[in-house]
Amino acid sequence: MRHITLRLALLTLLITSAMSAGAQAYDGDFDWKIYAGYLNYGGKSGGEFGVDYGVSEYVSVNMTLRGVDSDPDEYGEKNFLNGCDAIVGVNCHFQSICHLPSNVDFYAGPNFSIRRYVGAMAGARYNFGEVVGAYVQGYYNIAKVLKLKNEDDKDTPMSKKWGVSVGLTFNLF
């Protein structure tokens, strides 16, 4: 219940904020951000850490390491690596297109997982000042694009499930 309250408070802050704090949620070219937060993927709790780099006024690329609690295997033991994943994504930013305040940004785009999933993500950022901000993101792994010859069909905790994350962003440059 506490996590839901925190998410609603952050979402309310993002939506109702129309004043500019002099900070940029997305600066465009050469914008470097790191972010870390709580992740809930398919009902499993975990965390994520990522880096976002602006390549143009409207596009950024990111890499995220994420992990959630995994299910026990056939021997009753949990394998930490079954709950881990890394994704690379490309985001299109709508801050300037939608004429949003400079401290608010919405973005969406595809992502590609080391577990061979293609997915989609969308999110919002709100910067409190020049360095620190908050974010909320949603993920969905759409399809597995490659199956290895000797691979079993056991799904990971992130297979074709929704994920939601909320956390803090930090501007590096």
Side-chain angles (χ1 to χ4, degrees):
M1 186 66 181
R2 185 176 54 145
H3 296 292
I4 293 171
T5 305
L6 177 63
R7 287 183 192 161
L8 288 175
L10 286 173
L11 186 60
T12 302
L13 181 65
L14 287 169
I15 292 172
T16 60
S17 172
M19 63 180 183
S20 174
Q24 292 280 107
Y26 180 68
D27 293 333
D29 292 342
F30 308 111
D31 181 32
W32 281 93
K33 292 188 183 342
I34 59 171
Y35 54 93
Y38 168 78
L39 173 67
N40 186 311
Y41 222 108
K44 305 231 181 248
S45 294
E48 70 177 358
F49 174 80
V51 177
D52 192 53
Y53 173 70
V55 294
S56 77
E57 184 179 353
Y58 304 107
V59 178
S60 70
V61 294
N62 63 58
M63 184 183 150
T64 306
L65 303 173
R66 55 190 185 183
V68 295
D69 190 28
S70 63
D71 292 325
D73 61 12
E74 61 269 9
Y75 304 109
E77 297 179 9
K78 290 187 176 188
N79 183 347
F80 173 74
L81 293 178
N82 284 342
C84 293
D85 197 7
I87 61 170
V88 174
V90 178
N91 289 326
C92 296
H93 294 265
F94 303 108
Q95 178 185 36
S96 60
I97 296 170
C98 296
H99 304 291
L100 297 171
S102 65
N103 61 336
V104 177
D105 182 34
F106 292 99
Y107 53 92
N111 61 46
F112 309 95
S113 164
I114 62 168
R115 299 222 180 241
R116 299 173 311 282
Y117 278 96
V118 172
M121 62 189 279
R125 284 191 191 119
Y126 175 83
N127 270 26
F128 302 114
E130 290 296 320
V131 177
V132 179
Y135 75 93
V136 60
Q137 290 184 140
Y139 300 98
Y140 186 73
N141 286 334
I142 298 169
K144 197 164 201 170
V145 293
L146 177 67
K147 183 175 178 182
L148 301 178
K149 185 176 180 180
N150 296 326
E151 179 182 33
D152 62 358
D153 284 333
K154 185 176 180 196
D155 286 339
T156 67
M158 297 176 207
S159 303
K160 295 185 181 177
K161 296 178 182 143
W162 285 97
V164 176
S165 63
V166 61
L168 295 175
T169 65
F170 302 92
N171 290 334
L172 296 179
F173 304 108

